Amino acid sequence: MKLASTSLVSTLVLGAVACGGGAAPKPIANGGGAAVAAGDIRAVDWANRTYQSGDGTFTVKDGSAEFAFDEEGNEVPPDFQPKDPDAFVEHGYFNVTPPRFGDVDGDGADDALVIHVYNGGGTGQFDGITVYTMRAGEPVALGEIPGGDRGDGGISDARLEGGVVLVERMMSQADDGACCPSKLQHERWAWKGGTFVEDEAARRLVDMPQ
């Protein structure tokens, strides 16, 4: 699964690659409806919820939210048409992927991994990973794994397997363009001491599949 600039094809984030991730965020309910029956994380409507991230609060529909700002920085509807045809309108989006499930915190219950992508206008798209758990019948953020901007550490794919998060990270090399990284870095992240910690010895750099 790969990420495209305006739609998903693969946490909020949003930082450069870190050796051990940040401290676990304060759990934040990402609501959008009544408590999920029996606390079933697989029953959560992940594609139609409100998400909170370092970039703001976004309510997605079918996995995506679009927004716009006028030239004075005021938020306006995505289809806003200024009176002045030469006026500049900045368009952006926030997308989430379908979740991947598995138990990462060892409590015997599934957690959910969601990749999210933020674009505030222009060519940059900043992604990251958030892992959610269920508390009091609602999904809350357990922890985060940082992403990046497309080829500069951006997330190509991630999944939960055997209690760890397996990440494929896009890594541009010296002669690569920002749009077209030639390498993928395979990583292993585990939940330890209240945060996600990367096993740096397990890193593996491979050629990007053609």
Side-chain angles (χ1 to χ4, degrees):
M1 176 174 58
K2 301 295 184 288
L3 299 173
S5 60
T6 57
S7 64
L8 295 172
V9 292
S10 131
T11 173
L12 300 154
V13 122
L14 304 156
V17 177
C19 295
K26 181 179 179 181
I28 299 174
N30 286 302
V36 179
D40 183 1
I41 200 165
R42 292 176 179 264
V44 174
D45 187 0
W46 297 98
N48 297 281
R49 295 186 65 76
T50 297
Y51 291 84
Q52 295 173 337
S53 82
D55 296 294
T57 301
F58 307 95
T59 299
V60 300
K61 181 178 181 181
D62 297 328
S64 182
E66 297 182 357
F67 49 87
F69 298 93
D70 63 21
E71 58 186 3
E72 296 181 355
N74 301 309
E75 187 168 359
V76 294
D79 59 354
F80 173 75
Q81 296 295 326
K83 294 180 180 179
D84 181 354
D86 295 324
F88 179 74
V89 179
E90 188 80 75
H91 292 271
Y93 58 83
F94 179 87
N95 294 334
V96 295
T97 64
R100 308 290 182 86
F101 298 102
D103 180 13
V104 297
D105 58 3
D107 66 354
D110 275 348
D111 304 300
L113 178 155
V114 177
I115 302 171
H116 56 82
V117 181
Y118 169 81
N119 172 271
T123 60
Q125 59 173 41
F126 302 93
D127 58 39
I129 297 169
T130 301
V131 176
Y132 297 89
T133 192
M134 295 297 286
R135 293 181 184 167
E138 286 287 347
V140 297
L142 176 67
E144 305 170 8
I145 294 173
D149 178 12
R150 297 190 296 171
D152 186 18
I155 304 298
S156 174
D157 198 5
R159 64 189 186 277
L160 299 171
E161 187 175 296
V164 300
V165 181
L166 302 180
V167 175
E168 294 182 4
R169 190 181 301 278
M170 294 177 284
M171 302 294 287
S172 293
Q173 304 302 294
D175 295 330
D176 296 341
C179 67
C180 309
S182 61
K183 298 289 185 180
L184 279 178
Q185 181 167 280
H186 291 228
E187 302 172 357
R188 294 174 62 89
W189 293 75
W191 182 249
K192 296 180 180 179
T195 189
F196 281 103
V197 178
E198 184 193 359
D199 178 2
E200 294 186 20
R203 284 184 181 178
R204 193 161 53 89
L205 198 64
V206 301
D207 290 337
M208 180 73 73
Q210 298 298 316

